[in-house]
Amino acid sequence: MRSPMNGAKRLSLRALLCAGLFALPGFSLAWDGTVSGTLTQVDVTDGAFLGFRVYFPIAMCGNTNNFAYLNSADSNYSAYVGALLMAKAQGLTVYVYSNRDSNGYCHIGYISIV
């Protein structure tokens, strides 16, 4: 038995479903701030909170802070730290994507180095 929907309706339904699937990742990966440039400073402390910080000459994630941080408990912490230290030492361009935490600081969620 044939479907009561004609070909045009089936095609538009498929198109709508596909568009919806592609749109979902964009909503789940929203960043409060994205900056790029060379790092001006790196701070490393023994604290579990704000233990590793990188600085840019401009403000980040919608506030006046010009640094973003990682905590030692963050996933892939060692890889982030190693990549960011290498970028600082070589003067490479770094893209930092961060989200503002409950204290208003920028927590690094993703980096890219070119």
Side-chain angles (χ1 to χ4, degrees):
M1 177 178 272
R2 291 193 62 141
S3 171
M5 293 174 57
N6 65 25
K9 285 185 181 178
R10 275 187 270 153
L11 181 58
S12 65
L13 181 60
R14 285 184 191 155
L16 182 62
L17 288 173
C18 287
L21 290 174
F22 287 116
L24 288 178
F27 291 115
S28 63
L29 295 177
W31 301 106
D32 292 329
T34 303
V35 296
S36 66
T38 55
L39 300 176
T40 59
Q41 179 179 332
V42 173
D43 287 346
V44 181
T45 69
D46 62 354
F49 181 64
L50 302 174
F52 182 83
R53 296 184 296 269
V54 293
Y55 291 79
F56 284 90
I58 58 173
M60 304 174 72
C61 70
N63 57 25
T64 58
N65 297 326
N66 67 335
F67 73 90
Y69 74 92
L70 287 167
N71 293 322
S72 59
D74 288 339
S75 174
N76 224 8
Y77 173 81
S78 296
Y80 277 113
V81 169
L84 289 165
L85 289 176
M86 184 245 347
K88 171 67 173 142
Q90 295 184 3
L92 301 174
T93 299
V94 178
Y95 291 83
V96 173
Y97 302 83
S98 60
N99 285 314
R100 201 172 2 190
D101 67 12
S102 60
N103 297 310
Y105 299 123
C106 305
H107 190 188
I108 296 173
Y110 178 83
I111 63 169
S112 179
I113 300 170
V114 293

